[in-house]
Amino acid sequence: MLAALVTTLIAFGDPSSVAALPADARATVGSTDYFVSKEAAELERDLRNSFNLTDRNSDGSIDASEAPIAERGQTNANGDRIAEEAGNALWIRLMDTDGDTVVDWPEMRAYLLPRLERANGL
């Protein structure tokens, strides 16, 4: 659930300029509606669960082969399809603060949690 929202946030940018969502807001990804939480603890729990699901080999980090953008065939804000290799590299580069070409939990949390909180008016 949150993986799709996280991928959307990464692919389409920082929602900090977006107005806060009402408590019963829904995020539609594909043909599925998701309720958006307003609880910070729940957002972090969902983000951690998303990290764990994305880290398919359970080594504590997400490498380019596990990056969720490749699985979803995302398009950028201009509507152009992002090539899998470029999308994976971008996904990693956005969050990889130590330059090891993988994203670990602290990096993903530091990058995405503040954005999710702002998107939810927290």
Side-chain angles (χ1 to χ4, degrees):
M1 164 174 106
L2 190 62
L5 184 56
V6 168
T7 301
T8 302
L9 286 173
I10 293 169
F12 297 105
D14 186 348
S16 61
S17 63
V18 177
L21 298 170
D24 63 348
R26 294 178 191 224
T28 302
V29 179
S31 62
T32 306
D33 286 338
Y34 298 105
F35 288 97
V36 179
S37 170
K38 289 200 55 99
E39 298 291 325
E42 186 176 351
L43 285 173
E44 185 167 359
R45 243 187 342 269
D46 287 348
L47 185 58
R48 180 62 191 217
N49 186 48
S50 178
F51 177 86
N52 291 340
L53 290 171
T54 305
D55 178 19
R56 290 186 294 255
N57 63 5
S58 299
D59 67 352
S61 62
I62 299 169
D63 62 29
S65 71
E66 297 170 310
I69 198 162
E71 297 172 22
R72 307 214 189 296
Q74 292 290 324
T75 57
N76 64 19
N78 297 324
D80 300 323
R81 183 174 164 81
I82 300 171
E84 287 184 11
E85 298 80 18
N88 291 355
L90 175 62
W91 194 92
I92 297 292
R93 194 170 57 243
L94 284 171
M95 289 183 269
D96 180 24
T97 57
D98 60 11
D100 62 356
T101 69
V102 296
V103 174
D104 57 29
W105 166 241
E107 289 171 326
M108 187 170 177
R109 183 186 184 282
Y111 183 84
L112 288 174
L113 190 58
R115 288 163 173 79
L116 289 169
E117 288 172 344
R118 281 194 305 269
N120 284 280
L122 299 176

